[in-house]
Each structure stands twice: as C-alpha cells, then as structure tokens.
Amino acid sequence: MVRRTAHGTAIAVTVYASMAGAGLYLARTNPEDTFSGAAFWIVLATILAGTVSSVTCGILASVGGFPDLHQRWMLLCYGFLLTAPLLRLEWGGPPLLPPGLSMAEINQVAIAHLGSVVAFGALVASRARDRRTTVDGMSGTWAPLVPLDQHPLHPASGRLRPSVAA
C-alpha cells in the first residue's frame, strides 16, 4: 500500500508540475502567437484542463476507496498525456501523404481528431480492464449484433419501401 501511495503521489506531482508549466506558457502567450495560431492554443488549453481534471478525479476516487474508478480516471489522464507524442508522430506522418502542407494545416488535422483518439483510447483501455462477465441489474449488450440481412435498413429485410422520385 505504501509503495502504491508513493508511486501515485509521484505521478500526481509530476502531472501537476507539467501542467503548471503548460498553464504558464498559455497564460504568457497570446493565442495568435502560439506555434500554429489560436486553434492550437485552444487545443493546448483543452488538453491542460482535461489532464488536470482527470488526475484530480483519479486522486479523489482513490482517496474515496474506488480503485476501479481511479483506474479509469488515470487511463483518461494518460490518454491526455499521450497527445504530445501522438502530435509529434503527426508532424512526421501527414506531410508525407499530401506533401506541401504547412505546420498550421498539419496541426489543424491533428486538432480535428486527437481528442477523439484520446477519448476512444481511454474507453477501449477501460473496457479491457473490466474483467466482469455480468453486471448486476443489466442484461443484453450495448452493441447488439444483428445479421446484415435482418438489419432494418438492409433491402432484403423487406422493411424498406422503395422511394419514389417526385
């Protein structure tokens, strides 16, 4: 228990110190003067808020005695922290696909999907950590699989009427 507490404290202090540095950069830099303009500044501020709030909620869950909830909050925190190396990969990859993109355009591509990558990655990691086979009070699945020919939108299902052009 002491080892976990010391390790968790070290992680939290590191995250808060890193985000304090990021916050100081954002406070001292006008949005238009950032690396790729105001949109990039907004994304950095969003990542800062998400990282700080998720690590704080993770700490509160741990102190409150909710280890599963703590793990899920920390997975989201790590997802936010991984946006930095993901962005570096994007600075190397997209210029190879359509050559001639400016850094501002590359960052706009990154802005468009990094948040969804973080949220989806944290969701997948969270579900992978859940080893329960049943949950009290729940039945079925959140993603029922229906054979394609029985899907209501498939023409063979007989449920669709042909549209008539007017």
Side-chain angles (χ1 to χ4, degrees):
M1 182 69 171
V2 172
R3 182 182 61 81
R4 285 185 182 176
T5 303
H7 184 244
T9 302
I11 290 172
V13 167
T14 303
V15 169
Y16 284 132
S18 298
M19 293 303 109
L24 185 61
Y25 168 77
L26 290 172
R28 295 186 65 183
T29 307
N30 289 326
E32 297 79 24
D33 296 334
T34 56
F35 184 62
S36 289
F40 193 67
W41 189 94
I42 292 169
V43 170
L44 291 177
T46 304
I47 291 169
L48 168 70
T51 304
V52 170
S53 61
S54 61
V55 77
T56 302
C57 288
I59 291 168
L60 294 174
S62 179
V63 169
F66 301 101
D68 289 344
L69 190 57
H70 165 74
Q71 288 177 346
R72 282 156 178 77
W73 279 114
M74 294 310 294
L75 285 168
L76 183 59
C77 177
Y78 293 141
F80 279 116
L81 292 172
L82 283 173
T83 58
L86 285 174
L87 183 60
R88 293 342 179 258
L89 289 173
E90 289 191 354
W91 287 345
L96 300 175
L97 300 175
L101 290 178
S102 69
M103 283 308 286
E105 292 169 324
I106 293 168
N107 281 331
Q108 288 171 351
V109 170
I111 289 167
H113 75 279
L114 266 180
S116 58
V117 168
V118 168
F120 184 71
L123 173 69
V124 169
S126 175
R127 296 309 310 149
R129 301 249 339 131
D130 191 356
R131 301 291 181 222
R132 298 176 293 182
T133 55
T134 61
V135 177
D136 292 337
M138 296 188 73
S139 63
T141 178
W142 64 274
L145 298 176
V146 178
L148 184 59
D149 61 341
Q150 294 176 7
H151 192 277
L153 298 179
H154 191 275
S157 69
R159 296 180 188 165
L160 287 178
R161 285 183 272 161
S163 61
V164 177

